[in-house]
Amino acid sequence: MPELPEVEIVRQSLNKKIKGSFIKKVLVKNRNLRFKVPFNFENILKNQKILEVDRFSKYLLLHLSNNSVCLIHLGMSGTIHLVKKNNKNLITNMSFYQHPILPKKHNHIIIFFDDFKVIYNDPRRFGFFEIIKNHSLLKKRFKKFGPEPFSIKFNLRYIFSFLKNKEKNIKNFLLDQKFVSGIGNIYASEILFQSKILPNKKAKYLSKNECKKILIYSKKVLIDAVRKGGSSIRDFKGISGKKGKFQKEFRVYDREGLNCKRSRCNGTIKKKIISKRSSFFCNFCQK
Ligand SMILES: [Zn+2]
């Protein structure tokens, strides 16, 4: 499932390729995504210039010249492909987490530009598209979302006062979009490992120093992932499958039973279902 770093990498590649281009035509082959593709979707996008490809949390935002915004959520399995005219091999990859060649099935939406097309593929159809008419509605759309880890609003005072007296565990809060936007299950485990905090620790028991670690590592883990993912785009051809470079560098995620990677720690990585999601942690160095 694409998490914030993967979405950010798609944003960067997409912005490089389509910013300033005009949409010629849109073809919706299947409207039945997680939510129905808006009925006037094709007409709203047609003839629009892409001003910028932006991102909030795990949402891609295509800013259009008619002031509206096309919002894309990749769901569980959504990928975006860019196919150039006369490209016989259909090498399309925008990101490391997808196969470099356009799949034959599940290409639900095609956006045509002058000499290329952008294709939305989604086998599980959990992704969706929305049209937001203008910027004040966009603000409203994300009103209930907490700040992103990179935002200045996500600071020590905010974290400490949000979490104090809270009974729920800290892992739960890292996944709670009202507290912080864009941290998914994989990175929540990584952040807590780096912070040396057990995922099932009640939020109210976190010290100020632990909150500070959460602040620092929420930013660091995500920024590192974007950076490593970014570097794996360039040598993507050497990677055949779905895994990008940084996914092999997880410290705890998917490492159940293996030795803890922290130097001088003799712990073993454990897996536990916490609030219905699998959590990975070292029960030796995480307290
Ligand atoms: Zn350890």
Side-chain angles (χ1 to χ4, degrees), residues 33 85 120 138 185 188 265 274:
L33 301 182
K85 250 185 193 162
Y120 179 73
L138 184 66
N185 196 40
C265 176
I274 298 173

PDB file of all heavy atoms in Angstrom, residues 33 85 120 138 185 188 265 274:
ATOM      1  N   LEU A  33     -14.724   3.035  -8.696  1.00  0.00           N
ATOM      2  CA  LEU A  33     -13.582   2.951  -7.789  1.00  0.00           C
ATOM      3  C   LEU A  33     -14.165   2.949  -6.382  1.00  0.00           C
ATOM      4  O   LEU A  33     -15.345   2.674  -6.205  1.00  0.00           O
ATOM      5  CB  LEU A  33     -12.634   4.121  -8.036  1.00  0.00           C
ATOM      6  CG  LEU A  33     -12.081   4.213  -9.474  1.00  0.00           C
ATOM      7  CD1 LEU A  33     -11.113   5.372  -9.605  1.00  0.00           C
ATOM      8  CD2 LEU A  33     -11.406   2.916  -9.883  1.00  0.00           C
ATOM      9  N   LYS A  85       4.030   8.783 -26.429  1.00  0.00           N
ATOM     10  CA  LYS A  85       3.661   8.349 -27.777  1.00  0.00           C
ATOM     11  C   LYS A  85       4.824   7.564 -28.368  1.00  0.00           C
ATOM     12  O   LYS A  85       5.983   7.873 -28.120  1.00  0.00           O
ATOM     13  CB  LYS A  85       3.403   9.582 -28.641  1.00  0.00           C
ATOM     14  CG  LYS A  85       1.933   9.742 -28.984  1.00  0.00           C
ATOM     15  CD  LYS A  85       1.700  10.903 -29.930  1.00  0.00           C
ATOM     16  CE  LYS A  85       0.222  11.217 -29.974  1.00  0.00           C
ATOM     17  NZ  LYS A  85      -0.046  12.540 -30.512  1.00  0.00           N
ATOM     18  N   TYR A 120      -4.342   5.703 -14.839  1.00  0.00           N
ATOM     19  CA  TYR A 120      -4.542   5.262 -13.456  1.00  0.00           C
ATOM     20  C   TYR A 120      -4.899   3.783 -13.453  1.00  0.00           C
ATOM     21  O   TYR A 120      -5.903   3.381 -14.035  1.00  0.00           O
ATOM     22  CB  TYR A 120      -5.647   6.077 -12.781  1.00  0.00           C
ATOM     23  CG  TYR A 120      -5.882   5.625 -11.363  1.00  0.00           C
ATOM     24  CD1 TYR A 120      -4.957   5.919 -10.370  1.00  0.00           C
ATOM     25  CD2 TYR A 120      -7.003   4.875 -11.016  1.00  0.00           C
ATOM     26  CE1 TYR A 120      -5.143   5.472  -9.064  1.00  0.00           C
ATOM     27  CE2 TYR A 120      -7.193   4.434  -9.718  1.00  0.00           C
ATOM     28  CZ  TYR A 120      -6.255   4.739  -8.760  1.00  0.00           C
ATOM     29  OH  TYR A 120      -6.435   4.290  -7.467  1.00  0.00           O
ATOM     30  N   LEU A 138     -11.166  23.293  -0.780  1.00  0.00           N
ATOM     31  CA  LEU A 138     -10.040  22.380  -0.529  1.00  0.00           C
ATOM     32  C   LEU A 138      -9.620  22.447   0.942  1.00  0.00           C
ATOM     33  O   LEU A 138      -9.368  21.442   1.586  1.00  0.00           O
ATOM     34  CB  LEU A 138      -8.858  22.753  -1.441  1.00  0.00           C
ATOM     35  CG  LEU A 138      -7.644  21.824  -1.365  1.00  0.00           C
ATOM     36  CD1 LEU A 138      -7.973  20.437  -1.894  1.00  0.00           C
ATOM     37  CD2 LEU A 138      -6.469  22.406  -2.150  1.00  0.00           C
ATOM     38  N   ASN A 185       0.933   2.483   8.646  1.00  0.00           N
ATOM     39  CA  ASN A 185       1.282   1.415   9.566  1.00  0.00           C
ATOM     40  C   ASN A 185       2.781   1.065   9.560  1.00  0.00           C
ATOM     41  O   ASN A 185       3.379   0.847  10.603  1.00  0.00           O
ATOM     42  CB  ASN A 185       0.453   0.181   9.219  1.00  0.00           C
ATOM     43  CG  ASN A 185       0.458  -0.830  10.331  1.00  0.00           C
ATOM     44  OD1 ASN A 185       0.390  -0.461  11.504  1.00  0.00           O
ATOM     45  ND2 ASN A 185       0.589  -2.088   9.991  1.00  0.00           N
ATOM     46  N   ALA A 188       4.808   3.952  11.193  1.00  0.00           N
ATOM     47  CA  ALA A 188       4.525   4.091  12.626  1.00  0.00           C
ATOM     48  C   ALA A 188       5.441   3.146  13.412  1.00  0.00           C
ATOM     49  O   ALA A 188       6.025   3.534  14.431  1.00  0.00           O
ATOM     50  CB  ALA A 188       3.061   3.793  12.902  1.00  0.00           C
ATOM     51  N   CYS A 265      22.329  -4.104  20.803  1.00  0.00           N
ATOM     52  CA  CYS A 265      21.068  -4.609  21.355  1.00  0.00           C
ATOM     53  C   CYS A 265      20.965  -6.078  20.983  1.00  0.00           C
ATOM     54  O   CYS A 265      21.172  -6.455  19.836  1.00  0.00           O
ATOM     55  CB  CYS A 265      19.870  -3.856  20.802  1.00  0.00           C
ATOM     56  SG  CYS A 265      18.310  -4.549  21.406  1.00  0.00           S
ATOM     57  N   ILE A 274      -1.896  -4.781  17.258  1.00  0.00           N
ATOM     58  CA  ILE A 274      -2.342  -3.708  18.151  1.00  0.00           C
ATOM     59  C   ILE A 274      -3.376  -2.888  17.392  1.00  0.00           C
ATOM     60  O   ILE A 274      -3.090  -2.428  16.291  1.00  0.00           O
ATOM     61  CB  ILE A 274      -1.154  -2.823  18.590  1.00  0.00           C
ATOM     62  CG1 ILE A 274      -0.132  -3.674  19.377  1.00  0.00           C
ATOM     63  CG2 ILE A 274      -1.622  -1.626  19.421  1.00  0.00           C
ATOM     64  CD1 ILE A 274       1.144  -2.947  19.708  1.00  0.00           C
TER      65      ILE A 274
END
